[in-house]
Amino acid sequence: MSEVKIIECPRDAMQGIKDFIPTEKKVDYIQSLLRVGFDTIDFGSFVSPRAIPQMVDTAEVLEKLDLSVTKSKLLAIVANVRGANDASRFKEIDYLGYPFSISENFQMRNTHKTISESIEVLKEILEIADKSNKEVVAYLSMGFGNPYGDPWDVEIVGEWTEKLSSMGVRILSLSDTVGSSSPEVITYLFSNLIPEYPQIEFGAHLHTTPDSWHEKVDAAYKAGCKRFDGAIMGYGGCPMAKDKLTGNMPTERLLSYFNVNQVETNLQAMSFESAYNESIKIFNNYH
Ligand SMILES: CC(C)C(=O)C(=O)O
């Protein structure tokens, strides 16, 4: 039995790559991840192809995956009601991931909506998920700090957690979209929010520079977080934050942390190695 959930995010790794990665290559890469035993694969997004052209073939990728080899669940990111409706048609998708930024500036940049408009969107997405037998994973983007000039403090994060909880969100991933978190803030937030909201599964969607991955994971794990997002080699980052683009938490670092600390992840080492090689093929060839 795994003691932590690891969510692999090929979507976040690929979404900012300019060269179009052919659908078959995406399928091979995601298919290799499906064999590893990750709790969830954040495999694609149903968003405007004008905003994120790389993800235009998410539906086609999904149709080509062989899901008989896996117990991993599938998560697709949606940024509006249209995307949620598109994703909800696929019974293979378990989770609709909704990025909700507590930075007005970033929310506008990411979805062309204000925070209060985005809350209305989230209400509708929760209803769509409910009707289509899916669960919403809400991401509190800029959850650990805000470099875009909007007010940010831990009380604001607490107020938004309360609001999302009252709306029925049951999985809330604090998201460090631009890698601005510090171990102190990570510790403070998880160790206060987790006991206060026992009905919520909290996750850490961390972005990081190579020198600070360990202190971030260590802070989150020791503060009680059991759900971690990562991407092999730390590829990717949010294209809407191009001025502050910071890579994802490298999955191999997460795994080494859990290995050293004897935390069971139940991942298949050999399959992870093949997936690692598959992802290197992609990221060496497409930029
Ligand atoms: C959609 C979310 C999870 C994201 O990729 C980010 O905030 O970095």
Side-chain angles (χ1 to χ4, degrees), residues 194-213:
I194 291 172
E196 198 174 335
Y197 294 93
Q199 72 280 20
I200 294 187
E201 177 177 313
F202 283 94
H205 180 93
L206 299 170
H207 287 240
T208 187
T209 50
D211 55 331
S212 54
W213 73 268

Side-chain angles (χ1 to χ4, degrees), residues 11-12 77 99 139 175 177 205 207:
R11 180 270 322 160
D12 207 352
I77 296 290
Y139 297 89
S175 185
T177 312
H205 180 93
H207 287 240

Side-chain angles (χ1 to χ4, degrees), residues 104-168:
E104 194 77 78
N105 273 310
F106 190 72
Q107 187 65 19
M108 220 19 157
R109 201 197 260 224
N110 204 16
T111 64
H112 304 292
K113 291 211 164 28
T114 62
I115 288 182
S116 57
E117 287 165 341
S118 305
I119 279 289
E120 294 307 310
V121 171
L122 175 58
K123 263 187 212 151
E124 286 191 61
I125 292 179
L126 283 160
E127 280 167 25
I128 294 168
D130 197 40
K131 283 192 195 122
S132 55
N133 211 17
K134 309 198 185 305
E135 198 160 353
V136 169
V137 176
Y139 297 89
L140 218 55
S141 170
M142 303 303 151
F144 297 97
N146 184 339
Y148 290 100
D150 314 275
W152 179 93
D153 59 33
V154 289
E155 276 76 38
I156 295 178
V157 180
E159 283 157 21
W160 282 113
T161 302
E162 176 58 34
K163 172 78 181 157
L164 268 50
S165 168
S166 73
M167 290 169 66

Side-chain angles (χ1 to χ4, degrees), residues 231-244:
I232 288 176
M233 298 274 283
Y235 287 120
C238 180
M240 298 308 170
K242 357 185 192 329
D243 50 343
K244 303 183 184 357

Side-chain angles (χ1 to χ4, degrees), residues 154-155 183-193 223:
V154 289
E155 276 76 38
E184 293 73 27
V185 172
I186 293 174
T187 300
Y188 185 90
L189 286 174
F190 284 119
S191 57
N192 282 282
L193 294 174

